[in-house]
Amino acid sequence: MLVIFLGPPGVGKGTQAKMASVKTGLPQISTGDILREAVKARTPLGMEAKGYMDSGKLVPDDLVKKLLTERLARPDCAGGAILDGFPRNISQVRYLEGLRAPANNGTTRVVSFELTEAELLKRLTGRRVCKKCGMMYHIMFNPPLNDGICDTCGGELYQRDDDKEDVIRARMDVYRKDTEPVIAYYSGKGLLRTVSAAGTQEEVGRRVEEALK
Ligand code: AP5
């Protein structure tokens, strides 16, 4: 089974995908996280992706499709996966539909998260991530015990390069132009469950659980 989480930047897809992964046992696949790892490791993929990511554009389809195919082929995806950040345009939808992988066994659930733009901006500008273990915080909604330090591993917290306000605007534009048609597509197929992302992580988590039943 494939579970697809859709929604604008900062809505909480990654947070909810991690929680759903613990509950369902399905691995979370975040194309954004994989790309950021590649940038950090300065791999050829990372070097090519960096400019697109820093300016809020989508990384070219062929690169992202390849990395998704490789990730879905790993044994932990045999029973399915939670896709956090893929597909993001209609070309990626078509690709996923044709992808031969045990995880893609014909059952697909699509959850679309909604939140006001003002709340999205607050979530994005306040997000901090641990350099070492990737744990996510928010300076207002989920602050670490000690400023700038990860509670879990003591690593340094940083602000993502694409969480600056001008890049956030560009990401929102890309979302409206490329990803909203994906939502319309799944809605037309009767697969879409819309979930409000307002409220605490736990409240949203309960809505997700209902939507996936
Ligand atoms: P990606 O990393 O996928 O970014 P995104 O879709 O813009 O989503 P975010 O990670 O910003 O937010 P989120 O919805 O996961 O929210 P989060 O849980 O972190 O992609 C980055 C870039 O990679 C793209 O711009 C593109 O260049 C490239 N890319 C990735 N996939 C691609 C693809 N398929 N094709 C082409 N290019 C691709 O939460 C945000 C904050 O809010 C956190 O601080 C969190 O703690 C807080 N928070 C979460 N839930 C709550 C709550 N309920 N209440 C209060 N605070 C909350």
Side-chain angles (χ1 to χ4, degrees):
M1 171 170 78
L2 287 181
V3 178
I4 297 172
F5 279 5
L6 297 172
V11 76
K13 300 180 296 292
T15 303
Q16 291 301 324
K18 285 187 180 74
M19 288 165 61
S21 172
V22 172
K23 281 184 196 145
T24 61
L26 297 174
Q28 171 209 12
I29 300 182
S30 159
T31 41
D33 283 350
I34 298 173
L35 288 165
R36 277 184 291 279
E37 277 303 310
V39 171
K40 201 166 134 191
R42 295 173 170 270
T43 65
L45 166 68
M47 302 309 278
E48 197 169 341
K50 187 174 174 10
Y52 295 98
M53 297 174 78
D54 286 351
S55 59
K57 293 185 185 134
L58 291 183
V59 171
D61 282 343
D62 53 338
L63 296 182
V64 185
K65 288 171 181 172
K66 186 164 174 267
L67 76 82
L68 184 86
T69 306
E70 284 169 8
R71 181 63 188 87
L72 274 180
R74 293 214 207 136
D76 65 330
C77 295
I82 301 170
L83 302 185
D84 159 18
F86 192 100
R88 273 176 128 99
N89 58 27
I90 293 294
S91 158
Q92 294 182 10
V93 171
R94 303 274 182 231
Y95 183 77
L96 192 60
E97 285 179 344
L99 189 64
R100 285 173 175 233
N104 201 11
N105 65 359
T107 309
T108 305
R109 302 276 168 85
V110 185
V111 177
S112 170
F113 294 94
E114 289 185 343
L115 195 64
T116 63
E117 200 158 320
E119 284 301 316
L120 292 173
L121 263 179
K122 268 193 226 164
R123 287 190 185 179
L124 286 168
T125 50
R127 171 167 52 193
R128 298 293 181 270
V129 186
C130 176
K131 267 187 182 167
K132 232 162 116 185
C133 73
M135 182 68 87
M136 202 154 41
Y137 296 87
H138 191 283
I139 53 173
M140 278 158 69
F141 307 131
N142 178 27
L145 294 173
N146 298 302
D147 241 13
I149 310 281
C150 177
D151 296 347
T152 311
C153 74
E156 187 191 336
L157 304 187
Y158 79 104
Q159 184 172 30
R160 268 170 49 174
D161 285 339
D162 61 351
D163 278 350
K164 312 278 155 60
E165 223 164 311
D166 55 328
V167 186
I168 291 173
R169 299 273 175 214
R171 289 162 64 200
M172 298 275 192
D173 287 346
V174 168
Y175 175 76
R176 278 188 284 267
K177 181 174 150 281
D178 293 320
T179 312
E180 283 187 352
V182 173
I183 294 175
Y185 176 82
Y186 285 124
S187 173
K189 291 196 91 179
L191 292 174
L192 195 76
R193 300 284 176 275
T194 301
V195 164
S196 162
T200 65
Q201 296 181 10
E202 291 70 28
E203 284 165 346
V204 182
R206 283 194 285 277
R207 288 178 210 134
V208 171
E209 233 176 300
E210 272 304 307
L212 291 179
K213 267 182 192 161

